[in-house]
């Protein structure tokens, strides 16, 4: 049943669509007036030729006119027929329509506008069984000149014009939305790629509204230079597209030769455009054809270069290459067709509406791609900021734990050592043994100086890192008979004016403590070096080593690494199980 309904619909549609056309008998012919000297009265002496498939292409034209003669008959003996004679080229400079005593004028070089956006259309009403001869003079200066004609009913023209206007308006709205969004992105990122996309989008809007007759038909009826605007806008539109493509594919970095080819081709096009202004101003129109062919040839080179560059770029950036191929390939086909047809290498026709769809598709596609890239980058930055915030929180925790541990160590020293000695002194005073009490007080004072020196030697204030460490190593070697610590310095200054001096002192003691306590080392070698650009510190022990794959860095080593990284240094651990550990620290000189 659905198939019957569908076939019935097609039958009714075809019947309603073809009824008026079937009632018209049309004979169309043309003649080319190469110097635009023919008059309406002189047409009787001229030779006219029949149209082939209702089309005509005279190629490059300079000041020529085409006269068309249409003999029309209404074969319906009962009803009037109203039809429209339509020429599909919206950028013909002028069209004079002669229907008996009725004369109408349309075209780019006039202030008169066709009722329909799809073409230059003239209304014709025929009474039953009426014959009529109509003449139309079409003129287009200094350009390629082609057109086709058709007779259409008003309903079809109104419907197609409404659809085309609505389609272009919808997509222009989408492009404007993307433009506003990308303007915001540009002010945030200051990206030249976004700026080039914005320029390309603006030129796309101008070019599409010109070539589609949208501006002439809806907004600027009296503007008479749309033909020139179409030519020059198309050139600048393509130049902006090629520059955008070069940046998108990063050709300057990845494929410099192709970048140079496109750059110099665009330069040729730009010089050709400027030269054409001079030619037009001096009225040297005979050489203008050279600039047309030069520009079109350059266009073709750019098309091929961008296509090859995007294919080669596939190995470098797969996603961007696919984006360009998906977006640019329709443009490549259209541009190749247009250039080859201009050179008469191919003859088949593609309607200019295709370039409208291609241009809108490209702008919307790349607008989506750039918006998506920005959102992805924004999300990555948010995640990175969260990671940095977490790292800062962890660092604060680490610093707090270090402070707690150092204070606990100080508390233990005071409690275990100083506290017991003070209690002993007090007991001696109670026993009136002042002599022994004074001796213990002197010993206590020495212990306090020693503990103070162990916690942070006063000599570090003067940058005496070597002297401070040597004192501590001497004490450790004396207090631990089974342990041997060797300390060497090569070209290392006695006094060093660096902010990390205190940290390095504490780090060295902590690494010694780790080697003894956890590494069970008997022999530790410490080496300090001074080079032109950095300071190098190496700690070597013969302990049990660290299995870095199975045992992650402990709290102490992780804290040391963070402190070194804070000075833009390098912290490296090399360890072999049961053979010892080598820790290397490098800190750049200011």
């Amino acid at each position: 049943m659905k198939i019957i309904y569908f076939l019935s619909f097609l039958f009714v549609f075809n019947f309603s669509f073809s009824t008026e056309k079937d009632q018209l008998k049309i004979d169309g012919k043309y003649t080319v007036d190469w110097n635009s000297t023919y008059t309406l009265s002189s047409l009787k002496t001229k030779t006219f030729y029949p149209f082939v498939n209702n089309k005509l292409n005279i190629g490059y034209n300079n000041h020529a006119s085409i006269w068309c003669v249409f003999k029309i008959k209404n074969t319906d003996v009962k009803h009037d027929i109203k039809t429209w004679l339509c020429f599909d080229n919206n950028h013909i400079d002028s069209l004079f329509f002669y229907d008996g005593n009725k004369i109408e004028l349309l075209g780019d070089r006039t202030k008169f506008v066709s009722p329909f956006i799809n073409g230059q259309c003239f209304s014709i009403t025929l009474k039953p069984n009426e014959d009529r001869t109509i003449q139309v003079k079409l003129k287009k200066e200094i350009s390629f000149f082609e057109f086709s004609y058709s007779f259409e009913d008003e309903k079809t023209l109104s419907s197609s014009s409404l659809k085309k206007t609505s389609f272009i308006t919808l997509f222009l709205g989408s492009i404007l939305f993307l433009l506003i969004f990308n303007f915001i992105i540009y002010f945030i990122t200051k990206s030249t790629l976004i700026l080039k996309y914005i320029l390309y989008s603006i030129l796309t809007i101008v070019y599409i509204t010109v070539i589609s007759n949208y501006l002439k038909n809806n907004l600027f009826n009296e503007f008479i230079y749309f033909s020139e605007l179409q030519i020059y806008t198309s050139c600048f539109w393509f130049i902006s597209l090629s520059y955008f493509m070069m940046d998108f594919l990063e050709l300057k970095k990845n494929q410099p030769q192709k970048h140079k080819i496109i750059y110099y081709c665009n330069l040729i096009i730009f010089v050709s455009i400027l030269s054409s202004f001079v030619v037009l101003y001096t009225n040297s129109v005979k050489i203008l054809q050279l600039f047309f062919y030069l520009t079109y040839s350059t266009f073709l080179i750019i098309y091929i270069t961008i296509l090859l560059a995007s294919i080669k770029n596939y190995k470098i950036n797969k996603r961007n290459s696919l984006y360009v191929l998906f977006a640019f390939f329709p443009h490549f086909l259209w541009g190749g067709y247009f250039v080859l047809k201009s050179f008469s290498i191919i003859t088949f026709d593609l309607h200019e509406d295709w370039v409208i769809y291609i241009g809108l598709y490209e702008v919307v596609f790349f607008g989506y791609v750039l918006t998506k890239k920005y959102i992805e980058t924004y999300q990555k930055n948010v995640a990175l900021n969260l990671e940095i915030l977490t790292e800062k929180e962890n660092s604060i925790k680490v610093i707090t734990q270090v402070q707690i541990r150092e204070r606990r160590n100080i508390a233990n020293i005071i409690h275990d050592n100083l506290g017991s000695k003070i209690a002993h002194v007090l007991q001696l005073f109670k026993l009136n043994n002042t002599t022994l009490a004074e001796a213990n007080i002197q010993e206590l004072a020495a212990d306090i100086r020693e503990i103070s020196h162990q916690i942070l030697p006063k000599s570090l204030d003067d940058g005496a890192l070597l002297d401070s460490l040597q004192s501590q190593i001497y004490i450790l070697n004396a207090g631990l008979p089974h342990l041997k610590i060797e300390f060497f310095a090569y070209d290392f200054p006695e006094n060093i004016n660096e902010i990390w001096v205190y940290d390095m002192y504490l780090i060295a003691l902590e690494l010694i403590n780790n080697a003894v306590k956890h590494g069970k080392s008997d022999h530790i070698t410490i080496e300090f070096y001074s080079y032109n650009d950095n300071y190098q510190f190496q700690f070597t022990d013969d302990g049990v080593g660290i299995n870095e794959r199975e045992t992650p860095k402990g709290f102490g080593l992780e804290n040391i690494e963070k402190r070194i990284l804070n000075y833009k240094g390098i912290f490296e651990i090399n360890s072999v199980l049961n053979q010892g550990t080598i820790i290397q620290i490098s800190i750049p000189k200011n």
Side-chain angles (χ1 to χ4, degrees):
M1 184 62 70
K2 291 181 179 179
I3 295 174
I4 294 174
Y5 284 151
F6 179 69
L7 293 175
S8 300
F9 170 77
L10 289 179
F11 174 76
V12 171
F13 177 77
N14 285 329
F15 177 77
S16 61
F17 180 77
S18 61
T19 300
E20 286 194 354
K21 284 191 174 182
D22 290 344
Q23 303 302 320
L24 285 175
K25 186 177 180 182
I26 303 164
D27 180 27
K29 293 184 178 181
Y30 74 93
T31 187
V32 180
D33 179 6
W34 294 105
N35 298 311
S36 291
T37 57
Y38 296 177
T39 62
L40 196 62
S41 58
S42 68
L43 292 181
K44 296 178 182 179
T45 62
K46 307 302 177 183
T47 303
F48 282 81
Y49 305 93
F51 285 96
V52 178
N53 296 325
N54 295 359
K55 298 176 183 179
L56 180 63
N57 183 357
I58 65 170
Y60 181 79
N61 152 71
N62 177 17
H63 200 61
S65 297
I66 296 173
W67 285 86
C68 303
V69 175
F70 299 98
K71 293 182 179 179
I72 313 170
K73 181 176 181 178
N74 179 8
T75 59
D76 193 329
V77 295
K78 294 182 179 180
H79 303 97
D80 291 353
I81 290 180
K82 183 178 181 180
T83 189
W84 290 81
L85 171 59
C86 301
F87 296 90
D88 71 338
N89 188 339
N90 280 312
H91 300 288
I92 299 173
D93 289 341
S94 61
L95 300 92
F96 286 88
F97 175 80
Y98 302 96
D99 184 7
N101 294 325
K102 175 184 174 183
I103 302 177
E104 292 184 34
L105 177 62
L106 293 175
D108 259 2
R109 276 283 193 271
T110 74
K111 298 180 180 180
F112 302 95
V113 181
S114 173
F116 308 105
I117 194 174
N118 282 338
Q120 310 286 359
C121 303
F122 300 97
S123 173
I124 303 170
T125 302
L126 296 171
K127 294 179 179 180
N129 208 32
E130 180 184 2
D131 288 307
R132 192 178 302 173
T133 299
I134 293 167
Q135 295 88 12
V136 183
K137 178 186 178 183
L138 302 92
K139 185 171 183 178
K140 186 171 179 64
E141 295 186 3
I142 316 175
S143 181
F144 292 90
F145 195 179
E146 64 174 327
F147 65 87
S148 65
Y149 76 88
S150 62
F151 286 84
E152 304 289 348
D153 63 89
E154 187 168 334
K155 184 178 179 181
T156 302
L157 288 172
S158 297
S159 176
S160 61
S161 291
L162 179 61
K163 288 178 182 177
K164 186 174 181 178
T165 303
S166 301
F167 173 80
I168 294 174
T169 303
L170 174 65
F171 271 85
L172 290 180
S174 303
I175 293 172
L176 287 172
F177 173 78
L178 288 170
L179 270 177
I180 293 170
F181 189 77
N182 278 280
F183 263 118
I184 296 171
I185 295 175
Y186 172 71
F187 284 117
I188 295 172
T189 62
K190 302 299 181 184
S191 167
T192 56
L193 180 65
I194 299 293
L195 187 62
K196 288 178 181 179
Y197 168 77
I198 291 171
L199 176 62
Y200 162 63
S201 299
I202 293 171
L203 289 172
T204 301
I205 291 174
V206 176
Y207 180 61
I208 287 175
T209 51
V210 170
I211 198 172
S212 66
N213 205 32
Y214 189 91
L215 285 182
K216 177 79 172 178
N217 194 269
N218 296 295
L219 299 175
F220 304 105
N221 306 138
E222 297 187 356
F223 187 71
I224 60 173
Y225 297 104
F226 277 113
S227 292
E228 287 79 3
L229 187 61
Q230 175 197 355
I231 293 171
Y232 292 120
T233 303
S234 66
C235 292
F236 287 116
W237 173 56
F238 186 74
I239 289 173
S240 67
L241 172 63
S242 62
Y243 273 106
F244 171 74
M245 291 290 189
M246 284 195 293
D247 266 22
F248 193 83
L249 293 171
E250 297 180 315
L251 293 188
K252 192 172 185 179
K253 179 178 71 174
N254 299 327
Q255 301 181 58
Q257 292 298 326
K258 290 185 175 63
H259 178 273
K260 287 182 180 179
I261 291 172
I262 298 173
Y263 174 81
Y264 285 116
C265 284
N266 281 326
L267 191 62
I268 292 171
I269 295 172
F270 187 73
V271 171
S272 180
I273 292 171
L274 294 179
S275 301
S276 69
F277 284 123
V278 176
V279 169
L280 288 172
Y281 181 77
T282 58
N283 202 27
S284 305
V285 293
K286 290 185 179 180
I287 64 171
L288 194 61
Q289 185 176 4
L290 175 64
F291 293 112
F292 275 105
Y293 286 121
L294 177 63
T295 302
Y296 290 158
S297 301
T298 311
F299 276 155
L300 189 59
I301 294 172
I302 294 176
Y303 279 125
I304 295 172
T305 305
I306 291 177
L307 187 64
L308 294 176
S310 60
I311 293 172
K312 186 175 180 180
N313 195 68
Y314 185 83
K315 294 181 180 179
I316 303 170
N317 191 323
K318 181 179 178 180
R319 179 184 290 186
N320 280 8
S321 294
L322 290 176
Y323 283 153
V324 171
L325 288 172
F326 276 121
F328 188 70
F329 193 69
H331 201 133
F332 171 77
L333 293 178
W334 167 263
Y337 154 79
F338 183 78
V339 173
L340 293 175
K341 187 178 180 184
S342 300
F343 286 107
S344 300
I345 297 173
I346 57 177
T347 57
F348 66 89
D349 292 315
L350 288 176
H351 199 275
E352 67 180 15
D353 281 355
W354 279 105
V355 76
I356 299 172
Y357 305 139
I358 291 169
L360 292 172
Y361 161 71
E362 279 182 340
V363 172
V364 173
F365 183 86
F366 278 115
Y368 164 76
V369 168
L370 293 177
T371 302
K372 182 182 176 184
K373 277 178 173 285
Y374 172 75
I375 292 173
E376 288 176 352
T377 303
Y378 175 78
Q379 290 174 338
K380 288 179 181 178
N381 288 339
V382 169
L384 181 61
N385 287 333
L386 287 174
E387 187 178 339
I388 292 171
L389 185 61
T390 304
E391 186 69 21
K392 285 182 178 179
E393 291 176 351
N394 291 335
S395 297
I396 292 171
K397 291 179 182 178
V398 167
I399 292 170
T400 303
Q401 291 172 358
V402 169
Q403 289 175 341
I404 291 171
R405 188 180 67 179
E406 289 177 349
R407 290 181 182 184
R408 184 178 291 115
N409 290 337
I410 294 171
N412 289 336
I413 291 172
I414 293 172
H415 180 271
D416 296 341
N417 192 355
L418 302 182
S420 60
K421 288 186 177 182
I422 291 172
H424 181 59
V425 169
L426 291 173
Q427 186 67 29
L428 291 173
F429 275 117
K430 286 180 182 180
L431 297 173
N432 293 322
N433 191 348
T434 57
T435 304
L436 190 56
E438 287 177 0
N440 276 272
I441 289 173
Q442 291 176 357
E443 185 181 341
L444 182 61
D447 286 346
I448 291 173
R449 284 194 300 270
E450 184 179 339
I451 292 169
S452 174
H453 188 72
Q454 288 178 3
I455 294 172
L456 205 63
K458 182 66 177 173
S459 58
L460 281 178
D461 293 339
D462 300 324
L465 178 60
L466 294 182
D467 182 62
S468 301
L469 277 175
Q470 283 171 344
S471 298
Q472 286 302 307
I473 290 170
Y474 176 79
I475 295 170
L476 291 170
N477 279 330
L480 299 170
H482 70 283
L483 178 66
K484 182 179 181 182
I485 304 174
E486 293 183 299
F487 182 53
F488 304 98
Y490 304 95
D491 297 326
F492 203 90
E494 291 291 333
N495 295 301
I496 183 167
N497 184 22
E498 297 285 354
I499 59 173
W500 44 261
V501 130
Y502 300 98
D503 265 328
M504 199 62 231
Y505 173 80
L506 296 173
I507 286 170
L509 294 183
E510 188 162 358
L511 290 176
I512 292 171
N513 181 62
N514 285 345
V516 175
K517 184 177 179 181
H518 302 294
K520 297 179 174 54
S521 301
D522 295 324
H523 187 203
I524 301 171
T525 303
I526 302 172
E527 298 166 283
F528 281 15
Y529 302 87
S530 176
Y531 297 109
N532 291 333
D533 299 324
N534 67 301
Y535 296 102
Q536 192 81 20
F537 309 90
Q538 181 166 300
F539 300 82
T540 307
D541 68 64
D542 62 349
V544 297
I546 302 171
N547 190 337
E548 296 181 63
R549 294 184 179 180
E550 297 180 2
T551 307
K553 291 176 185 175
F555 170 79
L557 291 178
E558 187 176 346
N559 180 44
I560 290 172
E561 183 175 21
K562 287 179 180 178
R563 287 151 76 183
I564 296 300
L565 292 177
N566 184 52
Y567 299 114
K568 297 181 172 54
I570 299 172
F571 180 79
E572 293 181 352
I573 299 176
N574 295 290
S575 182
V576 177
L577 201 60
N578 298 319
Q579 293 186 29
T581 302
I582 298 175
I583 294 177
Q584 291 179 315
I585 297 171
S586 176
I587 300 178
K589 290 184 176 180
N590 291 330

